[in-house]
């Protein structure tokens, strides 16, 4: 049955969505109207890939969470479906928070999400109660279970918080279902708890998969746990992180824990802990296992810190990253844009061994929706340069630049002059490696974003850019002599 609250959201989006199409990014998912945050339920279903998202259709700011819905066959072109979930029951009246999805053996589509109910205490404090709930449907309409919530505070180990207990990631393995769920434990920081079930409806607590111990932020949100290239990988999004060197930035960060899974103790033994994305705008990633065996990740391309900073005229707020293929090499996470992006490449322009001294423009190298790889090498063995800069989204007033400095071995991205009307989180710097003396930067730009892939996926960095669409110049600059190769494709949708 479709509740009045869900019907209202569906009516609202069918009324207003058609007016926003020309303003949308070309190939990045947005809500089209209203607000979106985390990706949810990113999973295959009946031969297609579905994606839901935290969604408030009525305003470009966060509000009681619904689940918006899109699907795709190739991760690039998305089809919009009606809102899937609305906060319309007693146990989720204050929000259907993040969660995930699986296809059941009988062909039904199961969504597992966090129901939120807030209660105002006598002292005025609002206390949240977060429980795990299920809705089952056919890929468009979903029915919430009468038995909801299926996991509540009574399942938690001693000291577990019922206020911070959210974001179930469900998967099926050996005829069982497992769910990794974020929780805050007695030491005040995050744990990822593992639950199991035979039927995805009746659950039991298994173990602490991994714990923060106040080392990487406080509460750990939006876990995802999967095997990859002989290792086990846990993705988490910590809140209240302190910066750690240039690896982790402060605030809401993103962390990847790679190691071996102890199947007896149901515990992840960590071997490497790294950032997932080194940019300014990346949170709450979620992955799926594609039918051809690829592990594909998508994330909210936004920073909570700047979530009140927007362009007044845009009818939507929040977008997803490009889906990325993951791999683990040498104990580290690699990511590259899904290969399907290459089907949308138009005209190619390339240059080899161009000497950059001072500022240089290259004929045909410009644009705002593009896929461009720039390889940077020193001009000759004896010549040193102190910096190399790549300017994008440039006109007389605006620019964003990437600057590499060989002495610090760091890449800095600065969007201070990108047209973002807020003096907050505009610079990010992170260490990068040279491969055979060269730095390889793949830059993917859409109307409101730039995603960077360093050295064939060794690092990724995502940035929202609100630069006016006609600022499309690109230039190269160095204080010494640098040789570059450039390969640029425009990206086209039709
Ligand atoms: C992460 C998050 C989740 C929660 C959702 C609410 O961005 O805080 O933990 O489920 O957003 O919208």
């Amino acid at each position: 049955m479709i509740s009045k609250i869900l019907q209202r959201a569906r009516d609202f989006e069918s009324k207003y969505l058609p007016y926003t199409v020309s303003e949308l990014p070309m190939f990045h998912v947005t809500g089209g109207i209203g607000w979106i945050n985390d990706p949810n339920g990113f999973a295959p279903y009946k031969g297609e890939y579905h994606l839901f998202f935290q969604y408030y259709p009525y305003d470009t700011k966060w509000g009681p969470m619904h689940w918006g819905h899109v699907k795709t066959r190739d991760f690039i072109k998305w089809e919009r479906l009606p809102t899937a979930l609305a906060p319309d029951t007693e146990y989720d009246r204050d929000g259907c928070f993040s969660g995930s999805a699986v296809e059941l053996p009988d062909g039904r589509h199961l969504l597992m999400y966090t129901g939120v109910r807030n209660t105002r205490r006598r002292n005025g404090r609002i206390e949240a109660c977060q429980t795990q709930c299920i809705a089952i449907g056919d890929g468009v309409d979903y029915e919430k279970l009468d038995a909801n919530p299926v996991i509540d505070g009574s399942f938690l180990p001693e000291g577990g918080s019922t206020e911070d207990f959210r974001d179930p990631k469900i998967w099926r393995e050996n005829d069982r279902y497992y769910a990794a769920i974020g929780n805050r434990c007695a030491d005040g920081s995050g744990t990822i708890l593992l639950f199991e079930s035979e039927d995805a409806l009746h659950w039991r607590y298994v173990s602490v998969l991994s714990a923060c111990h106040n080392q990487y932020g406080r509460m750990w949100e939006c876990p995802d746990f999967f095997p990859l290239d002989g290792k086990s990988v846990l993705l988490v999004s910590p809140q209240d992180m302190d910066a750690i060197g240039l690896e982790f930035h402060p605030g809401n960060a993103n962390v990847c824990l790679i190691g071996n899974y102890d199947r007896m103790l149901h515990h992840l033994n960590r071997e490497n802990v790294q950032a997932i994305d080194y940019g300014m705008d990346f949170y709450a990633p979620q992955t799926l296992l594609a039918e051809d065996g690829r592990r594909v990740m998508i994330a909210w391309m936004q920073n909570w810190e700047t979530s009140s900073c927007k362009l007044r005229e845009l009818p939507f707020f929040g977008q997803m990253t490009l889906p990325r293929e993951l791999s683990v090499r040498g104990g580290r996470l690699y990511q590259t844009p899904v290969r399907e992006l290459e089907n949308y490449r138009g005209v190619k322009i390339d240059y080899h061994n161009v000497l950059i001294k001072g500022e240089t423009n290259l004929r045909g190298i410009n644009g705002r929706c593009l896929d461009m790889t720039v390889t940077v090498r020193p001009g000759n063995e004896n010549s040193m340069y102190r910096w190399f800069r790549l300017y994008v989204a440039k006109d007389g007033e605006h620019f964003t630049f990437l600057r590499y400095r060989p002495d610090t071995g760091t890449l800095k991205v600065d969007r201070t002059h990108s047209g973002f009307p807020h003096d907050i989180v505009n610079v990010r710097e992170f260490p990068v490696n040279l491969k055979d003396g060269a730095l390889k930067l793949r830059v993917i730009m859409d109307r409101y974003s730039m995603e960077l892939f360093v050295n064939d996926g060794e690092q990724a960095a995502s940035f929202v850019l609100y630069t006016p669409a006609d600022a499309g110049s690109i230039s190269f600059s160095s204080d010494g002599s640098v040789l570059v190769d450039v390969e640029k494709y425009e990206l086209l949708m039709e």
Side-chain angles (χ1 to χ4, degrees), residues 30-31 33-41 51-57 61-69 80 83 85 94-100 112-116 166-167 222 284 300 304 317-320:
T30 71
I33 50 167
W35 157 286
I36 72 167
N37 56 290
D38 316 352
N40 297 155
L51 173 70
F52 302 81
F53 41 84
Q54 291 287 282
Y55 179 43
Y56 184 63
K61 58 184 192 215
W62 193 90
M65 282 291 111
H66 297 57
W67 276 33
H69 192 184
R80 184 67 180 235
T83 301
L85 298 178
D94 292 300
C96 299
F97 274 21
S98 284
S100 50
M112 188 174 194
Y113 69 97
T114 299
V116 179
R166 57 183 175 270
D167 311 334
C222 301
W300 186 39
W304 271 112
F317 184 79
Q319 53 184 322
M320 297 300 167

Side-chain angles (χ1 to χ4, degrees), residues 251-378:
N252 286 56
N254 60 82
V255 170
C256 172
L257 307 117
I258 301 178
N260 292 309
Y261 181 47
D262 182 331
R263 287 190 175 271
M264 295 294 286
L265 299 176
H266 296 282
H267 183 76
L268 176 70
N269 296 317
R270 297 171 197 170
E271 292 172 343
N272 177 35
V273 180
Q274 63 167 98
I276 307 168
D277 186 286
Y278 292 81
M280 295 166 202
D281 296 295
F282 185 94
Y283 200 66
Q286 197 171 83
T287 70
L288 60 68
L289 187 61
E291 266 137 26
D292 56 9
R294 283 179 293 168
R295 181 57 65 172
V296 178
M297 175 180 75
I298 194 165
W300 186 39
M301 189 159 49
Q302 179 58 46
N303 188 324
W304 271 112
E305 225 69 58
T306 52
S307 61
S308 62
C309 306
K310 50 194 75 162
L311 285 195
R312 219 163 283 116
E313 56 271 24
L314 279 185
F316 66 88
F317 184 79
Q319 53 184 322
M320 297 300 167
T321 62
L322 196 59
R324 301 169 183 181
E325 295 174 19
L326 300 185
S327 56
V328 173
R329 290 182 237 163
R332 279 191 61 88
L333 186 74
Y334 277 66
Q335 45 194 308
T336 50
V338 280
R339 61 197 67 169
E340 287 86 345
L341 184 69
E342 291 160 31
N343 300 333
Y344 295 85
R345 284 173 168 178
V347 175
K348 171 179 171 178
I349 299 193
D350 58 353
Y351 289 86
H352 293 283
N353 274 334
V354 181
L355 185 65
I356 307 293
K357 274 183 163 177
E359 185 145 5
T360 311
N361 291 291
L362 298 175
R363 186 189 292 262
I365 303 293
N366 52 31
R368 284 292 293 279
C369 288
L370 53 82
D371 180 353
M372 174 173 75
T373 301
V374 178
T375 309
V376 186
R377 294 181 297 275

Side-chain angles (χ1 to χ4, degrees), residues 200-261:
L201 310 176
H202 303 87
W203 291 87
R204 40 181 189 275
Y205 166 72
V206 179
S207 65
V208 173
L209 191 57
S210 194
C212 170
H213 300 307
N214 284 299
Q215 195 182 358
Y216 300 103
R218 300 264 292 165
M219 171 61 184
W220 278 0
E221 302 188 302
C222 301
D224 197 345
F225 184 57
F226 49 88
L228 187 61
D229 299 329
K231 294 286 170 196
S232 289
V233 178
L234 176 64
L235 309 180
V236 293
S237 295
Q239 295 180 303
D240 307 312
M241 184 97 168
D242 283 340
I244 305 182
L246 292 178
E247 186 69 23
F248 299 107
H249 61 78
N252 286 56
N254 60 82
V255 170
C256 172
L257 307 117
I258 301 178
N260 292 309
Y261 181 47

Side-chain angles (χ1 to χ4, degrees), residues 358-463:
E359 185 145 5
T360 311
N361 291 291
L362 298 175
R363 186 189 292 262
I365 303 293
N366 52 31
R368 284 292 293 279
C369 288
L370 53 82
D371 180 353
M372 174 173 75
T373 301
V374 178
T375 309
V376 186
R377 294 181 297 275
N380 66 54
E381 272 169 28
N382 305 321
S383 99
M384 260 328 280
Y385 63 98
R386 280 182 306 156
W387 53 262
F388 165 80
R389 284 183 184 209
L390 168 63
Y391 288 89
V392 296
K394 194 173 161 211
D395 62 12
E397 284 166 62
H398 304 102
F399 58 88
T400 289
F401 70 84
L402 288 66
R403 187 213 58 195
Y404 173 65
R405 269 180 59 169
D407 61 342
T408 54
T410 55
L411 187 71
K412 175 166 128 177
V413 178
D414 188 330
R415 69 166 179 207
T416 308
H417 298 276
S418 65
F420 187 54
H422 301 276
D423 186 20
I424 171 172
V425 196
N426 284 322
V427 179
R428 191 70 94 222
E429 185 165 358
F430 54 95
V432 293
N433 296 315
L434 296 184
K435 295 275 138 85
D436 300 326
L439 176 68
K440 197 166 168 189
L441 303 171
R442 182 166 172 198
V443 181
I444 301 202
M445 300 187 72
D446 194 352
R447 262 179 210 143
Y448 306 107
S449 64
M450 172 175 77
E451 286 164 277
L452 192 60
F453 298 87
V454 181
N455 295 335
D456 299 306
E458 197 173 51
Q459 279 155 312
S462 309
F463 306 87

